[in-house]
Amino acid sequence: MTKVLLIDDDPELLEVLGEWLTSRGHQVRTLLDVRGVERVMDEFTPDLVVLDGMLQGTTGQAIAGDLERDGRLRVVYLSGLPRYELPADRLVLQKPIDLELLERIVREAPSNLATLEGS
């Protein structure tokens, strides 16, 4: 079981992804924006954060570094933006989402994310 924090400004997407991952045995928390992210990080301590590349008032890039500060947590971008607009050294799941790839990423998090990027 992997603990996943989903952050996206689309409530329907959060609901669908959250239910889908929960049905596969993962623990999931969701946030519509980054307000409260520190509290959730402290209370929930996720293994993986799936983060929208563009959020209201900020970008995923602006908060990803803070989330990964201890080196144990992985951040995966979820985005409809063109790939070149996001950091080249990050795993990006393009919208519409390949759910099987998402499941693989979550199941193997945080150990093997770098090897999944080419999948």
Side-chain angles (χ1 to χ4, degrees):
M1 172 195 60
T2 302
K3 293 170 73 174
V4 182
L5 175 59
L6 300 172
I7 305 172
D8 198 293
D9 53 11
D10 180 343
E12 292 176 16
L13 179 66
L14 287 178
E15 182 179 351
V16 169
L17 290 180
E19 288 176 5
W20 193 81
L21 289 169
T22 299
S23 74
R24 280 149 179 76
H26 305 293
Q27 284 188 318
V28 179
R29 295 281 167 88
T30 62
L31 286 174
L32 281 168
D33 58 42
V34 295
R35 289 178 295 177
V37 72
E38 290 179 19
R39 179 184 49 79
V40 172
M41 294 294 291
D42 290 341
E43 293 172 1
F44 184 57
T45 60
D47 301 305
L48 177 71
V49 175
V50 178
L51 173 67
D52 191 0
M54 289 296 299
L55 295 163
Q56 279 188 316
T58 190
T59 66
Q61 296 174 50
I63 62 168
D66 289 340
L67 295 176
E68 294 180 314
R69 68 182 160 263
D70 70 1
R72 195 178 52 84
L73 176 69
R74 294 290 188 182
V75 174
V76 174
Y77 287 112
L78 178 65
S79 185
L81 294 173
R83 180 63 179 104
Y84 66 83
E85 291 189 26
L86 294 164
D89 63 341
R90 301 281 185 185
L91 180 59
V92 177
L93 287 170
Q94 292 294 141
K95 294 178 183 177
I97 302 158
D98 178 339
L99 292 175
E100 294 305 318
L101 178 57
L102 175 60
E103 168 62 14
R104 249 179 82 201
I105 290 168
V106 170
R107 189 177 57 246
E108 297 180 14
S111 61
N112 295 321
L113 287 178
T115 63
L116 293 173
E117 186 164 11
S119 299

